[in-house]
Amino acid sequence: MSPLPGYAMCAARHMYEYGTTRAQMAEVAVAARQWAQLHPDATMKAPLTIDDVLASPLVADPLSRLDCCLMSDGGAAVIVTSPDRAKALKHKPVYFLGGAGASWSREVSQIPDFCTTPTAECAPRAFEMAGITTTDVDVLQLYDAFTINVIMFLEDMKFCKKGEGGAFVSGGRIAPGGALPVNTNGGGLSFAHPGMYGLFTLIEATEQLRGNAGARQIADAEIAIAHGNGCTFSHEFVAVLGGANTL
């Protein structure tokens, strides 16, 4: 049954501590579905509403089936090389500007704070290495194994204050046309989740910075965040990618 109950406990604690609602978490799933509808390779494209998410069967209270990522086949690969060699390649390169990781625990029973993830430690280090702040970020690709993940990661990256993530994602803020594009491929909730989703965040960030994202393209995207998550908020990694103009 692992890791779903652990994430459910974190979601329940966040709701208790900060008043986060199931409807606010549902906003994350709805936004992901709207992005997925713009991606030709996305798994799930049927329209989705907040009411649909709330009405779907509970799997581990307070998480419903539609609060959970897909279980799908899939594969991903990236090529890493030097900036000098990249200039001679066929496709426009994207540059690694900064990154950091942090591991705090292995099992949910070891989590020091159910409402804070190791992203709170590694995101500031990645941002410092890249020389950016949250205001410089054009698009984020977050590991959305469950809807609560996106809310907590946005808080831990300081896009909003701790406890304000539910309100922050409401009203379509992270959906197409919103102020902060998040998971523009549809994420693990609607695009694909073959068990190790992290590489897909790097690929979608790269597509956005290259300007190759088609109908879901974010205009003039220069800075993108790709984020990885492991176990139950145990291991987190934040990578900052940029286009040539950011060097």
Side-chain angles (χ1 to χ4, degrees):
M1 295 297 294
S2 178
L4 201 158
Y7 284 96
M9 284 193 285
C10 293
R13 189 67 191 183
H14 203 277
M15 294 172 73
Y16 175 81
E17 292 280 354
Y18 303 113
T20 306
T21 66
R22 287 194 62 219
Q24 290 172 336
M25 290 190 287
E27 292 260 9
V28 175
V30 170
R33 184 63 57 87
Q34 291 174 353
W35 284 116
Q37 289 173 325
L38 302 176
H39 197 304
D41 296 329
T43 302
M44 304 299 292
K45 295 185 179 180
L48 185 68
T49 67
I50 291 175
D51 287 341
D52 292 334
V53 180
L54 298 180
S56 65
L58 284 175
V59 182
D61 194 3
L63 299 178
S64 75
R65 179 172 58 83
L66 292 174
D67 284 296
C68 304
C69 65
L70 303 174
M71 296 179 65
S72 67
D73 292 333
V78 297
I79 295 175
V80 182
T81 187
S82 68
D84 290 340
R85 293 185 67 183
K87 292 177 182 178
L89 299 179
K90 179 179 179 180
H91 297 290
K92 183 167 63 174
V94 165
Y95 298 90
F96 178 81
L97 305 180
S103 295
W104 286 2
S105 63
R106 172 165 171 76
E107 303 295 341
V108 68
S109 60
Q110 300 171 327
I111 293 179
D113 178 356
F114 275 17
C115 295
T116 302
T117 80
T119 302
E121 176 189 330
C122 62
R125 291 193 284 118
F127 284 24
E128 181 180 9
M129 182 178 178
I132 68 163
T133 67
T134 55
T135 59
D136 297 311
V137 178
D138 298 307
V139 59
L140 292 100
Q141 313 300 334
L142 305 178
Y143 199 120
D144 58 339
F146 304 93
T147 52
I148 188 62
N149 293 40
V150 170
I151 289 172
M152 289 174 58
F153 295 148
L154 287 169
E155 293 174 347
D156 290 344
M157 290 184 188
K158 301 297 189 290
F159 283 91
C160 60
K161 293 181 180 179
K162 178 55 66 178
E164 296 182 358
F168 184 82
V169 302
S170 297
R173 185 192 294 266
I174 63 173
L180 186 66
V182 175
N183 293 347
T184 51
N185 63 350
L189 291 167
S190 280
F191 177 71
H193 194 288
M196 296 293 180
Y197 177 72
L199 278 179
F200 287 89
T201 69
L202 290 168
I203 289 171
E204 179 64 12
T206 298
E207 290 291 298
Q208 288 287 345
L209 296 177
R210 283 179 173 169
N212 293 341
R216 65 191 190 282
Q217 179 65 49
I218 304 305
D220 303 318
E222 292 286 352
I223 297 285
I225 301 299
H227 170 269
N229 164 75
C231 293
T232 308
F233 294 135
S234 303
H235 321 291
E236 311 291 338
F237 193 92
V238 174
V240 182
L241 305 181
N245 293 335
T246 65
L247 297 180

